[in-house]
Amino acid sequence: MHFSANPLRQSLPPKNPSYALGAFQLIAECRFAGGRVGGDFYAFEQRDAKRLVLVVGDACGRDSEAAKLLPSVFSRLEDLSHSTNRPSWLLEELNRRIVAEMPSDRFVTGAVYEFDAVAGTLTIANAGHVPAILRNSDGSVNLIGEASGPPLGMFAECVYRDNRYRIRKDDVIVFMTDGILETVETDLTQMPMLRQLVAEAPAGSGGVQGFLLENVEVRARYRHPDDMTLLSLQVLASGRATPSIDLDRVA
């Protein structure tokens, strides 16, 4: 599994890296408010040319305080990443393995996304994390994958739910941590400004990522800095044709 940064080495992830992942193109940006370390992270594993697992998370706290929580999360996530079980199972198992090590006043929000371009599906399980935004190839924009359980590390036994959505060629999905959300929004639940920005952005994952970062940078000048992570993923190819349906959980 590829991780965005190594908190043990206090290394910054590459600036705005782009990953060619078979049927998907991923562009990422991770900025730590304190400099070289922070609590935001993303990780991904390409199962094959048309299947991808992505994890986005945010450890409670700032700078090295938050970064100290990540090594145990990363090691256990690495152990679990090769499982073919559903995203909700991965969150439940990850929570069980880190809860005993998590300080009582700390937690980690996170979401797991499983892409299958052949089936044309995206399966999401969310542990207290910011929802994703899906811009369909027809231009419509929706929030997807709202939290179905608490953040990781708070309770020994947690149950999460899988939500499944249709994805098609040229769809773009945007993922973020709360540093992005709180810089842009006043309505943290419905996220109207972010949805509007995603709708107005140029085509493709690069167009969406660049447009959002420009707007975030303008607004961030007037706020106390926080860790910020933003990722934009484009579906480059799809498998069998999928019927047009309302965006909703389909399994």
Side-chain angles (χ1 to χ4, degrees):
M1 176 166 270
H2 174 92
F3 292 95
S4 56
N6 185 341
L8 293 178
R9 296 178 183 171
Q10 296 191 340
S11 59
L12 284 169
K15 181 74 173 177
N16 209 31
S18 177
Y19 306 96
L21 302 169
F24 312 98
Q25 177 76 23
L26 177 66
I27 301 177
E29 178 81 357
C30 194
R31 301 177 181 180
F32 299 140
R36 302 195 62 82
V37 295
D40 285 7
F41 68 93
Y42 62 89
F44 60 82
E45 181 174 81
Q46 189 174 358
R47 297 275 171 86
D48 57 45
K50 292 195 174 184
R51 292 197 307 149
L52 175 71
V53 174
L54 172 69
V55 182
V56 182
D58 182 358
C60 174
R62 288 181 179 271
D63 306 335
S64 59
E65 179 185 69
K68 289 176 182 177
L69 303 178
L70 296 185
S72 64
V73 174
F74 283 9
S75 65
R76 283 154 180 78
L77 189 56
E78 181 73 36
D79 293 341
L80 296 167
S81 65
H82 303 299
S83 169
T84 57
N85 282 286
R86 64 196 187 281
S88 58
W89 178 90
L90 192 153
L91 285 181
E92 290 163 6
E93 286 300 310
L94 181 59
N95 179 69
R96 289 190 187 102
R97 298 184 188 199
I98 69 171
V99 67
E101 303 171 357
M102 194 68 58
S104 59
D105 60 344
R106 293 288 179 264
F107 57 83
V108 177
T109 70
V112 180
Y113 306 87
E114 185 175 57
F115 298 86
D116 188 333
V118 175
T121 58
L122 166 58
T123 306
I124 306 173
N126 187 327
H129 197 70
V130 181
I133 302 175
L134 169 62
R135 186 173 77 179
N136 293 280
S137 55
D138 64 8
S140 59
V141 174
N142 298 275
L143 290 184
I144 59 173
E146 289 87 351
S148 63
L152 305 169
M154 296 181 67
F155 307 104
E157 295 296 328
C158 292
V159 176
Y160 300 95
R161 182 180 68 249
D162 289 310
N163 288 333
R164 189 176 296 172
Y165 303 89
R166 293 293 188 193
I167 55 171
R168 299 173 178 81
K169 185 177 183 296
D170 292 327
D171 286 354
V172 176
I173 303 95
V174 178
F175 319 89
M176 70 193 72
T177 57
D178 62 2
I180 297 288
L181 175 67
E182 293 169 1
T183 297
V184 176
E185 292 288 1
T186 56
D187 184 343
L188 304 184
T189 302
Q190 299 301 315
M191 300 164 58
M193 180 58 71
L194 281 162
R195 287 190 286 115
Q196 180 180 340
L197 291 173
V198 170
E200 294 174 353
S205 55
V208 172
Q209 184 82 356
F211 187 75
L212 288 176
L213 285 175
E214 288 176 5
N215 281 272
V216 167
E217 286 169 357
V218 170
R219 291 169 171 80
R221 297 171 190 165
Y222 309 103
R223 291 185 56 86
H224 185 73
D226 192 7
D227 295 346
M228 294 191 293
T229 294
L230 181 71
L231 304 96
S232 299
L233 181 144
Q234 183 177 1
V235 181
L236 301 178
S238 57
R240 65 173 186 266
T242 55
S244 177
I245 61 171
D246 291 337
L247 179 68
D248 201 352
R249 189 176 62 166
V250 297

